[in-house]
Amino acid sequence: MKITKFLFFFLFILILISIIVIYNLNKNYNIEKIINNLEKDLNAKIVLNEEPDWVFLPKIQLNVKSKIENNLNIYSSKEINISFIQSYNFSPLNFKIDSNSFFINGLEIKSLEAYGNYIFNDKKIILKNLTGKVGDGKFFLNGNINNSELEKINITGDIKNLHLNQILRQLNLANWERIEIKLSSNQFKFNSKKNNILQSAKASVPINGSMYFAVTEEERFGIAFLRLLIEKMPNLSNLSKSLTQIIDGFDGKPALFKGDLNIKSGLIQTDNLNVKNQNNRIDIKGSYDMIADLFDVKILFFESDNLVVEALVLGNIENPSIQIVNENIISNNKDENADLKKVFDEGIQSLIDKLLGTNE
């Protein structure tokens, strides 16, 4: 009799547990509900590439292969794999994401991988690891994303050898052909509001890397000839000094840079960024407004720790001007050819031809 009661009680408990499990599965792991919630949180359209794969032992696991496209065309991937894992306890929901190719505004991220936890009650994503490749560069990130009313994003991480020129080209922001920059950062910190990233962004980014400036044989000859004209045209002194500093000091010789960037309310600022190569140094101080797309930067050219000449970078990221400063005053006389970028774009020989014509 006792055995019968025990079996009946055991069967009752088993049925009760089964009902609870089925109810929770239907409530929390309904595939349509999961996709709808993801589409809402990500403002995206998710289309399944094949039927979801369920695993119930030794833990609940849902594997989804799909394609995703943001409704604002900000990001997309033709094939992204997402796994949700839940142990039979009260631990947070685990997730894993991977994609061979993921696009953000035209920028391709390869070998994208992410894993972390999702806490239902707090609507909080704990990002334990997010890695990917951009060209030959890599990034390693972690942090958390709060989807509650706070909508906060907090990210820390490292980036290694990101090719800045390649990123600007793929994002269709600028095509810098003269200069090649590879950028790294260790333990940078970034936080913002989820739906207002640029305007609310705050970040501290220590950076380092290498810079390479490409110069032609014609330009090497041109700068040597330009020096000969200085005696007859003293107003060319600062222009000649800055061109000499760039061509002789950085031509074909990779230079190293190091400094700190501070980001606040869409403004990138620095007061200690410098580029060094043997006896030459360039100090960079100022800001770039990401929202207005405007530079306000001062460049100081040094040789053996002696200040040679100053210049100001003004304008937008696609086509900035680099104005030579003569005695702390920017010349407004176009004939003085104070714009370094314009000189390189049009060619030093073209400048010499115009100067020789003027001198005649």
Side-chain angles (χ1 to χ4, degrees):
M1 190 68 178
K2 291 183 178 181
I3 296 177
T4 303
K5 287 183 178 180
F6 174 78
L7 290 175
F8 178 79
F9 178 75
F10 177 78
L11 184 60
F12 173 78
I13 294 297
L14 184 62
I15 293 173
L16 182 61
I17 292 174
S18 299
I19 292 172
I20 294 173
V21 169
I22 291 172
Y23 173 78
N24 284 326
L25 284 173
N26 185 61
K27 181 179 179 181
N28 297 318
Y29 298 97
N30 181 281
I31 186 62
E32 292 184 1
K33 181 179 178 180
I34 290 173
I35 291 177
N36 288 337
N37 288 339
L38 283 174
E39 288 181 332
K40 182 179 179 181
D41 289 341
L42 300 174
N43 190 22
K45 179 65 177 177
I46 299 174
V47 178
L48 298 179
N49 289 336
E50 57 183 65
E51 286 296 316
D53 178 31
W54 285 95
V55 177
F56 294 100
L57 290 174
K59 53 192 173 184
I60 303 171
Q61 181 168 337
L62 170 62
N63 301 314
V64 178
K65 294 184 177 181
S66 65
K67 60 181 178 181
I68 185 171
E69 184 171 353
N70 177 256
N71 293 327
L72 300 176
N73 295 320
I74 296 174
Y75 59 84
S76 65
S77 177
K78 291 183 178 180
E79 185 173 344
I80 184 168
N81 304 318
I82 306 173
S83 295
F84 299 98
I85 304 106
Q86 177 68 66
S87 300
Y88 286 101
N89 52 36
F90 294 102
S91 63
L93 176 70
N94 299 323
F95 65 85
K96 292 181 180 179
I97 301 172
D98 69 82
S99 175
N100 290 329
S101 181
F102 191 90
F103 288 88
I104 300 179
N105 279 340
L107 177 67
E108 183 178 17
I109 300 174
K110 295 183 177 180
S111 303
L112 179 69
E113 293 185 359
Y115 71 85
N117 299 328
Y118 180 71
I119 303 174
F120 284 101
N121 293 336
D122 296 333
K123 294 184 178 180
K124 189 174 183 179
I125 297 172
I126 307 297
L127 191 60
K128 292 186 176 181
N129 193 37
L130 172 63
T131 63
K133 297 180 179 179
V134 180
D136 295 328
K138 300 178 181 179
F139 60 84
F140 311 86
L141 310 177
N142 60 77
N144 60 75
I145 301 172
N146 196 321
N147 288 315
S148 66
E149 294 180 358
L150 297 176
E151 293 188 336
K152 286 186 176 180
I153 299 175
N154 295 289
I155 299 293
T156 61
D158 304 330
I159 56 177
K160 303 292 183 183
N161 295 321
L162 290 185
H163 191 177
L164 182 60
N165 305 65
Q166 181 186 57
I167 293 173
L168 292 176
R169 281 195 295 268
Q170 289 193 25
L171 292 174
N172 201 29
L173 293 176
N175 186 16
W176 295 351
E177 296 180 343
R178 286 290 188 159
I179 216 168
E180 295 287 331
I181 299 173
K182 287 194 174 181
L183 176 68
S184 297
S185 178
N186 296 322
Q187 289 301 302
F188 71 86
K189 297 179 180 179
F190 174 89
N191 64 78
S192 73
K193 291 290 187 68
K194 178 186 171 186
N195 293 321
N196 198 14
I197 293 179
L198 279 185
Q199 289 83 348
S200 62
K202 292 182 181 180
S204 175
V205 188
I207 63 170
N208 63 84
S210 62
M211 182 194 79
Y212 178 86
F213 192 84
V215 177
T216 66
E217 287 293 335
E218 180 184 10
E219 288 166 341
R220 294 188 189 95
F221 173 80
I223 191 61
F225 191 80
L226 188 62
R227 292 193 195 102
L228 301 177
L229 298 177
I230 293 176
E231 294 182 3
K232 296 182 179 181
M233 298 181 178
N235 61 319
L236 295 176
S237 177
N238 280 352
L239 174 62
S240 178
K241 288 177 183 178
S242 57
L243 290 172
T244 299
Q245 188 79 352
I246 293 172
I247 292 175
D248 289 350
F250 295 93
D251 168 30
K253 305 165 189 174
L256 300 179
F257 65 84
K258 186 177 181 180
D260 295 285
L261 301 180
N262 293 300
I263 302 174
K264 186 176 181 180
S265 302
L267 200 68
I268 303 176
Q269 296 177 306
T270 184
D271 59 6
N272 67 351
L273 182 60
N274 62 74
V275 185
K276 292 183 179 180
N277 187 356
Q278 297 179 345
N279 294 327
N280 301 285
R281 187 178 95 235
I282 299 175
D283 285 0
I284 301 172
K285 300 179 180 181
S287 64
Y288 171 66
D289 190 328
M290 292 185 290
I291 299 172
D293 185 20
L294 287 175
F295 278 108
D296 184 8
V297 173
K298 177 179 281 190
I299 302 178
L300 300 96
F301 296 89
F302 290 85
E303 184 176 4
S304 300
D305 291 328
N306 296 317
L307 180 62
V308 176
V309 70
E310 298 180 24
L312 292 180
V313 180
L314 304 169
N316 59 42
I317 195 169
E318 183 177 9
N319 189 30
S321 67
I322 307 175
Q323 298 285 335
I324 301 293
V325 177
N326 294 312
E327 297 179 354
N328 296 323
I329 299 174
I330 304 176
S331 173
N332 292 318
N333 186 347
K334 293 183 179 179
D335 292 336
E336 291 185 1
N337 297 283
D339 190 340
L340 273 176
K341 184 176 184 300
K342 185 177 179 181
V343 170
F344 276 111
D345 288 346
E346 294 182 354
I348 293 179
Q349 186 59 49
S350 175
L351 169 63
I352 292 173
D353 291 341
K354 286 190 292 186
L355 295 173
L356 290 175
T358 302
N359 195 42
E360 293 175 357

